[in-house]
């Protein structure tokens, strides 16, 4: 197991729990060498013992992933050519339940198909929307790009009155991001795109040494905040790929790339930048007025998958906090991250709340159903953030816990934050072992997971294993 546990709390590492029955371990500080090399003074030592919360201190219920439905490309054909045709890649990017009592949901495929599912996860209907990954845009020999296409959906808070929902779309290869508003009309599903209104457009400058860089880092999964505004997490677009880091758009306030952006859902008022220094925040979630996002790291072994947080002020921010990319692709105290050749001034960056390095196999080790890679292995990974749970389906076990998984590694974990947003516990929840592309909460207060990528797409529910009847 790697010496570093992959859990951050204000620059101090927390030791992760190896299994549900293990007692809490002491908090472990960064090594003396890491402290000496860091240009910032480390924060004061945290308490030496983690507080005794149920999620931390009790074994908890036995959990299982229940498969509710599975679809193949033949089941959900591409409609962009006018004739239903199986797409060679089935790439689910989001699933959201209607905000009513129907139990129905919309499944989003990045290839441009929106699928209406009933409460039993059976297909009711489907409709196409523009997508850079549809068959109409992919010619013979073209490569499917998983950072493009339709990358998320959210419903308006007043959906019951106005029927609005919003899509996060890259419609052209190497293109920018558009946010479209549609109006749900269940009797006119085939013509829903006729109601589409463009709310926000973020064009992509074609700046890179290789145009293939520009297929990447388009963020996704928009959401509504408690202020009634639409929040869009934008990746850096891979703009400037192969060029000096000064070309990266993420730190620059004259660009929406690499930002958390607040948008008027009517598309009238000018968008506002809430946070900068983001790399590729594909998923995010809310807890009151706090928004947490998972920022996917680069492929180098000393880069990190991050969880970040900001408390959103409904007023226009006077200053925009910087979350570090591209200067610090992880916690600033990790001295190996001064990879741009410029010493890091950590005082100018907001540290990640939580994260794990690509070369740290701790979480794979703690998954009892996953083989542990050899020491020093650089693990392929991409963080997928789930909901901040506040429902009543798990006997309080997940109260105030943020679920998260890894797209590639296939484990699901939970992290408990205190009221100040500091992580105080983290543990393995359940094994999947395959692609994980998203989470949502159902009308039954249970947690649903979206999985699959190529051969099939599947929808799962996290259930409590019921004890056998006596």
């Amino acid at each position: 197991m790697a010496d570093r546990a992959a859990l951050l709390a204000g620059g101090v590492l927390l030791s992760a729990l190896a299994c549900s029955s293990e007692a809490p371990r002491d908090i472990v500080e960064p090594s003396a060498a890491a402290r000496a090399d860091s240009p910032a003074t480390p924060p004061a030592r945290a308490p030496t013992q983690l507080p005794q919360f149920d999620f931390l201190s009790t074994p908890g219920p036995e959990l299982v992933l229940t498969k509710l439905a599975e679809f193949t490309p033949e089941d959900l054909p591409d409609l962009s050519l006018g004739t239903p045709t199986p797409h060679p890649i089935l790439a689910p990017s989001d699933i959201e339940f209607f905000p009513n009592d129907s139990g129905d949901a919309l499944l989003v495929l990045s290839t441009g198909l929106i699928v209406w599912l009933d409460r039993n996860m059976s297909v009711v209907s489907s409709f196409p929307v523009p997508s850079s990954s549809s068959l109409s845009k992919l010619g013979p020999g073209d490569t499917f790009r998983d950072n493009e296409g339709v990358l998320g959906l959210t419903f308006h808070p007043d959906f019951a009155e106005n029927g609005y929902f919003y899509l996060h779309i890259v419609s052209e290869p190497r293109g920018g991001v558009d946010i479209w508003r549609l109006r749900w009309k269940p009797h006119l599903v085939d013509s829903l795109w006729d109601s589409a209104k463009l709310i926000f457009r973020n064009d992509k400058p074609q700046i890179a040494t290789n145009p293939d860089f520009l297929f990447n880092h388009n963020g996704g999964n928009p959401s509504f905040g408690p202020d009634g505004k639409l929040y869009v997490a934008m990746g850096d677009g891979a703009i400037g790929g192969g060029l000096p880091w000064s070309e990266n758009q993420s730190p620059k306030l004259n660009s929406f790339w690499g930002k958390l952006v607040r948008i008027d859902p009517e598309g009238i008022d000018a968008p506002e930048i809430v946070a900068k220094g983001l790399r590729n925040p594909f998923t995010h979630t809310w807890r009151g007025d706090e928004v947490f996002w998972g920022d996917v790291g680069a492929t180098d072994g000393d880069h990190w998958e991050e969880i970040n947080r900001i408390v959103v002020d409904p007023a226009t921010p006077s200053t925009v906090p910087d979350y570090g990319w591209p200067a610090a692709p992880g916690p600033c105290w990790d001295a190996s991250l001064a990879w741009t050749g410029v010493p890091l001034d950590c005082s100018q960056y907001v540290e990640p709340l939580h994260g794990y390095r690509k070369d740290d196999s701790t979480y794979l080790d703690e998954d009892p159903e996953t083989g542990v890679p050899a020491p020093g292995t650089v693990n392929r990974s991409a963080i997928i953030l789930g909901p901040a749970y506040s429902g009543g389906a798990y006997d309080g076990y997940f109260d105030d816990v943020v679920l998260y998984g890894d797209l590639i590694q296939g484990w699901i974990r939970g992290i408990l934050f205190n009221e100040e947003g500091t992580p105080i516990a983290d543990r393995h929840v359940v094994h999947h072992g395959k692609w994980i592309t998203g989470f949502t909460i159902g009308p039954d207060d249970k947690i649903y997971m979206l999985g699959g990528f190529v051969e099939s797409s599947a929808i799962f529910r996290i259930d409590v294993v019921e004890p056998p009847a006596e």
Side-chain angles (χ1 to χ4, degrees):
M1 182 185 298
D3 291 335
R4 270 180 291 223
L7 186 59
L8 291 167
V12 179
L13 287 175
L14 297 179
S15 190
L17 297 178
C19 65
S20 61
S21 60
E22 183 174 347
R25 302 175 185 166
D26 287 344
I27 293 173
V28 180
E29 291 184 299
S31 67
R35 293 197 304 271
D37 290 342
S38 176
T41 302
R45 182 176 174 85
T48 57
Q49 192 74 11
L50 296 174
Q52 300 298 297
F53 287 83
D54 285 347
F55 181 72
L56 171 68
S57 60
T58 64
E62 183 181 356
L63 300 170
V64 65
L65 283 174
T66 303
K67 183 188 290 186
L68 304 176
E70 185 169 12
F71 307 103
T72 68
E74 288 73 21
D75 299 322
L76 304 175
D78 191 300
L79 302 178
S80 64
L81 296 175
T83 301
T85 306
H87 197 290
I89 302 270
L90 194 61
S93 61
D94 196 7
I95 183 170
E96 299 294 339
F97 286 90
F98 284 90
N100 53 34
D101 297 329
S102 69
D104 292 3
L106 291 180
L107 170 65
V108 179
L109 303 185
S110 71
T111 51
L113 192 68
I114 312 298
V115 185
W116 177 11
L117 302 173
D118 67 16
R119 65 187 308 115
N120 298 314
M121 296 293 136
S122 298
V123 176
V124 178
S125 186
S126 62
F127 60 96
V129 298
S131 169
S132 60
S133 297
S134 66
L135 290 176
S136 64
K137 297 291 173 62
L138 292 180
D142 284 350
T143 301
F144 173 82
R145 310 287 180 173
D146 62 355
N147 273 209
E148 289 196 325
V150 189
L151 299 175
L153 176 150
T154 192
F155 290 99
H156 193 286
D158 296 326
F159 174 81
E161 288 75 39
N162 59 35
Y164 291 156
F165 64 102
Y166 297 75
L167 294 171
H168 182 129
I169 296 178
V170 177
S171 59
E172 298 292 336
R174 296 186 297 275
V177 168
D178 294 334
I179 304 297
W180 291 90
R181 187 187 75 191
L182 284 74
R183 174 170 285 168
W184 179 249
K185 298 177 181 179
H187 58 293
L188 295 173
V189 170
D190 291 343
S191 58
L192 282 180
W193 187 253
D194 295 342
S195 71
K197 176 184 178 181
L198 183 64
I199 298 298
F200 171 76
R201 167 162 286 169
N202 191 22
D203 292 322
K204 179 174 286 191
Q206 300 295 296
I207 303 171
T209 57
N210 183 336
D212 282 355
F213 285 127
L214 299 171
F215 287 110
N216 294 309
H217 303 181
N218 294 304
N221 289 279
S223 70
F224 275 88
D227 55 2
K229 300 291 187 178
L230 184 63
Y231 285 76
V232 176
M234 295 293 310
D236 68 4
I239 299 161
L243 295 169
W245 284 108
S246 59
E247 297 291 338
N248 189 280
Q249 305 285 299
S250 189
K252 302 176 181 180
L253 290 177
N254 63 351
S255 169
F256 290 120
W257 293 100
K259 311 297 190 300
L260 180 64
V261 185
R262 177 164 54 203
I263 297 172
D264 172 15
E266 297 295 325
I268 299 173
D269 297 336
E272 297 177 313
I273 294 173
V274 176
K276 65 179 183 176
L278 285 60
R279 182 179 182 271
N280 193 23
F282 180 66
T283 47
H284 65 273
T285 190
W286 288 87
R287 185 182 72 170
D289 61 355
E290 306 165 286
V291 59
F292 298 82
W293 66 89
D295 208 350
V296 177
T299 57
D300 304 81
D302 59 356
H303 286 208
W304 290 66
E305 303 295 317
E306 299 180 3
I307 296 177
N308 292 286
R309 163 189 174 266
I310 189 172
V311 178
V312 174
D313 188 335
T316 300
S318 56
T319 59
V320 176
D322 190 338
Y323 286 79
W325 178 258
C332 194
W333 54 257
D334 191 338
S336 67
L337 297 178
W339 64 310
T340 60
V342 179
L344 298 180
D345 175 10
C346 294
S347 64
Q348 63 183 310
Y349 303 124
V350 180
E351 293 277 39
L353 287 181
H354 191 65
Y356 52 102
R357 272 176 58 138
K358 303 278 185 173
D359 60 1
D360 188 340
S361 301
T362 300
Y363 289 176
L364 287 167
D365 188 20
E366 293 179 358
D367 184 341
E369 299 179 61
T370 299
V372 181
T377 299
V378 177
N379 303 296
R380 296 179 65 210
S381 58
I383 190 168
I384 300 294
L385 199 67
Y389 190 76
S390 59
Y394 301 98
D395 298 325
Y397 184 62
F398 284 140
D399 287 356
D400 298 317
V401 169
V402 175
L403 272 289
Y404 68 104
D406 191 284
L407 169 73
I408 301 167
Q409 296 182 22
W411 42 256
I412 300 170
R413 299 181 67 88
I415 178 170
L416 179 66
F417 293 97
N418 64 14
E419 292 182 357
E420 289 74 38
T422 301
I424 54 177
D426 179 278
R427 71 194 311 166
H428 177 78
V429 170
V430 69
H431 170 83
H432 178 52
K434 298 180 181 179
W435 297 97
I436 297 171
T437 58
F439 297 92
T440 193
I441 300 291
D444 55 0
D445 280 350
K446 290 192 174 181
I447 300 164
Y448 289 73
M449 189 201 81
L450 186 59
F453 196 69
V454 179
E455 298 88 359
S456 66
S457 172
I459 300 166
F460 299 83
R461 186 179 60 223
I462 298 180
D463 286 326
V464 176
V465 176
E466 298 294 337
E470 297 183 358

